[in-house]
């Protein structure tokens, strides 16, 4: 005997389609209002931030109502047309609706196309070349950033920028993929091995911020943070003058500057340098540690520290992760610079 198709009205009154749409619209309005009231980002510090924030709000206004409406209809349908306990009959047969299918394909297509065009226009405007740009070469490596100012012939571990001057960042990496991100600037760009990526920013708010790596790059990823200082033009010029006139007598490199510039503090603790990294061994008592492990390896303390910098994979202090420390310092630093760094470390940062 054939089963009678199930009647899905479940004793409720009112047209189910109208009920679903009404609930969906109310939920969409509430959801969109809530999304727009959430402070997603900190106070902006660049000229392009407002455009990016507006784009983000537009995306929320378009996407949140659609998501909430669809989910409301889906949840309502599960509840409204649920089968009663013990009811094993098939639901009433339904047929496709060509007009409805065309509508629900066309509307998302138009929305996505419109948003893509709006996003492209915004990005194209942000990336447009500006007059009097300051060029900064950004280099990422595990687990720090380096900033080179080719026009000023300055290299720094801190990113110092003059307010209201356009900046052209050229981003590289020495090892793995990193992601250069200053949240207050809103822009983020990956540092990809073998490629140079570029972004343009005009800082418009004086203050101290932080550049972080937004791409998981290894065990010390969370420590890959460098200071960003947006200063007045006169302060920037004074900083450049100080950097170009820095160094020790006779042009010899400073161990403290080398320690900071090469990101050693991201992984090591050294009180004299204000470093609090905990990925690698603490360096406050490096002289004792070097004497102990150097003796085991038939090396002097100086030879042990030099080997730890140039060929760090040769020996790892017990209790610390292997193959983490970059192996590029032997190529990036001159013999004179390595000697200065070794001397500085053996004195506990007090030299």
């Amino acid at each position: 005997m054939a089963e009678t198709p199930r009647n899905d009205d479940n004793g409720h009154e009112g047209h189910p389609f109208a009920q679903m749409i009404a609930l969906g619209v109310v939920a969409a309005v509430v959801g969109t209002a809530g999304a727009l009231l959430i402070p997603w980002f900190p106070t902006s510090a660049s000229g392009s931030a407002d455009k990016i924030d507006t784009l983000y709000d537009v995306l929320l206004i378009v996407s949140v109502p659609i998501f909430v409406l669809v989910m409301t209809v889906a949840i309502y349908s599960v509840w409204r047309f649920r089968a009663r306990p013990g009811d094993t009959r098939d639901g009433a047969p339904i047929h496709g609706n060509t007009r409805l299918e065309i509508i629900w394909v066309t509307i998302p297509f138009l929305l996505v196309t419109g948003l893509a065009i709006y996003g492209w226009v915004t990005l194209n405007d942000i990336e447009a070349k500006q007059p009097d740009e300051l060029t900064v070469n950004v280099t990422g490596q595990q687990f720090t950033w380096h900033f080179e100012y080719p026009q000023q012939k300055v290299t720094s571990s801190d990113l110092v920028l003059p307010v209201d001057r356009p900046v052209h960042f050229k981003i590289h990496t020495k090892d793995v993929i990193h992601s250069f991100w200053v949240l207050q600037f809103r822009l983020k760009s990956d540092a990809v091995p073998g490629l140079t990526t570029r972004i343009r920013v005009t800082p418009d708010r004086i203050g101290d911020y932080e550049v972080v790596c937004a791409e998981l790059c290894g065990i010390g990823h969370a420590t890959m943070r460098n200071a960003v200082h947006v200063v007045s033009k006169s302060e920037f010029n004074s900083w450049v003058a100080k950097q170009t006139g820095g160094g020790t007598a006779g042009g010899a490199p400073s161990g403290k500057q080398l320690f900071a510039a090469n990101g050693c503090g991201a992984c090591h603790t050294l009180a004299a340098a204000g470093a609090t990294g905990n990925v690698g061994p603490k360096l406050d008592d490096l002289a004792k540690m070097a004497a102990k492990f150097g003796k085991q390896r038939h090396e002097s303390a100086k030879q042990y520290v030099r080997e730890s910098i140039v060929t760090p994979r040769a020996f790892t202090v017990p209790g610390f992760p292997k193959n983490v420390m970059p192996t590029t310092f032997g190529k990036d630093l001159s013999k004179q610079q390595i000697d200065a760094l070794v001397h500085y470390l053996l004195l506990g940062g007090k030299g």
Side-chain angles (χ1 to χ4, degrees):
M1 180 177 179
E3 291 184 347
T4 302
R6 187 174 72 242
N7 185 353
D8 288 318
D9 62 15
N10 283 340
H12 296 281
E13 296 181 356
H15 197 287
F17 182 78
Q19 292 177 346
M20 287 189 294
I21 294 300
L23 287 173
V25 169
V26 171
V29 170
V30 173
T32 304
L36 292 175
L37 289 173
I38 295 174
W40 296 101
F41 303 112
T43 302
S44 65
S46 74
S48 58
D50 288 343
K51 296 177 183 178
I52 295 172
D53 289 349
T54 301
L55 173 60
Y56 195 80
D57 287 342
V58 170
L59 292 174
L60 288 174
I61 291 170
V62 174
S63 59
V64 171
I66 294 175
F67 172 78
V68 174
L69 180 62
V70 170
M71 293 307 300
T72 301
V73 170
I75 294 171
Y76 177 85
S77 299
V78 170
W79 170 80
R80 176 67 171 78
F81 302 109
R82 68 192 185 282
R84 294 297 186 182
D87 186 354
T88 59
R89 293 172 297 168
D90 294 334
I94 59 174
H95 300 281
N97 186 315
T98 303
R99 179 180 298 175
L100 181 60
E101 292 170 3
I102 292 174
I103 291 173
W104 76 37
V105 169
T106 302
I107 291 177
F109 171 77
L110 294 176
L111 286 173
V112 172
T113 301
L115 291 173
I117 293 173
Y118 178 34
W120 177 81
V121 171
T122 301
L123 183 62
N124 190 60
D125 184 47
I126 291 172
E127 292 186 339
K129 187 175 181 179
Q130 302 293 324
D132 191 32
E133 286 185 337
L134 171 68
T135 299
V136 179
N137 294 327
V138 180
T139 302
Q141 72 176 75
Q142 296 172 313
F143 299 97
T144 190
W145 299 98
H146 306 294
F147 308 102
E148 179 195 1
Y149 301 75
Q151 297 155 321
Q152 290 75 23
K153 295 181 173 57
V154 168
T155 300
S156 172
S157 58
D158 286 354
L159 178 58
V160 181
L161 302 172
V163 69
D164 294 327
R165 181 176 178 182
V167 183
H168 183 195
F169 292 105
K170 298 180 180 180
I171 304 168
H172 320 76
T173 177
K174 289 184 178 180
D175 38 49
V176 300
I177 295 176
H178 300 283
S179 189
F180 175 80
W181 189 26
V182 181
L183 183 55
Q184 290 80 3
F185 294 168
R186 300 295 191 268
L187 291 172
K188 177 171 63 175
S189 182
D190 283 352
V192 182
L195 297 178
T196 297
T197 55
R198 305 164 188 267
I199 56 174
R200 287 181 164 89
V201 172
T202 302
D204 64 358
R205 184 185 296 272
I206 292 175
D208 298 325
Y209 311 106
E210 195 172 50
V211 53
V212 303
C213 177
E215 185 81 27
L216 183 61
C217 57
I219 193 169
H221 165 69
T223 67
M224 192 166 171
R225 299 168 179 267
N226 291 59
V228 180
H229 307 289
V230 178
V231 298
S232 66
K233 294 180 180 179
S234 60
E235 287 182 89
F236 177 76
N237 292 335
S238 298
W239 175 79
V240 170
K242 182 179 179 180
Q243 296 300 308
T244 54
T248 56
S254 162
K256 184 175 182 178
Q257 290 175 338
L258 290 167
F259 183 88
N262 287 278
C264 305
C267 295
H268 297 281
T269 292
L270 183 60
T276 57
N278 57 13
V279 177
K282 293 183 179 180
L283 303 180
D284 294 302
D285 296 319
L286 179 61
K288 295 180 181 179
M289 186 189 306
K292 174 185 174 181
F293 292 114
K295 184 177 181 180
Q296 293 178 10
R297 297 179 59 77
H298 307 290
E299 298 173 332
S300 67
K302 185 178 293 187
Q303 288 173 326
Y304 170 81
V305 176
R306 171 179 282 276
E307 180 188 60
S308 298
I309 295 172
V310 177
T311 55
R313 307 293 162 86
F315 174 76
T316 301
V317 174
F320 291 93
K322 297 181 178 181
N323 303 328
V324 172
M325 184 166 169
T327 59
T328 56
F329 293 126
K331 298 178 181 178
D332 297 338
L333 301 178
S334 67
K335 181 180 182 301
Q336 186 184 27
Q337 290 174 319
I338 294 174
D339 288 342
L341 185 56
V342 169
H343 179 73
Y344 173 75
L345 294 174
L346 284 174
L347 291 179
K350 299 174 184 177

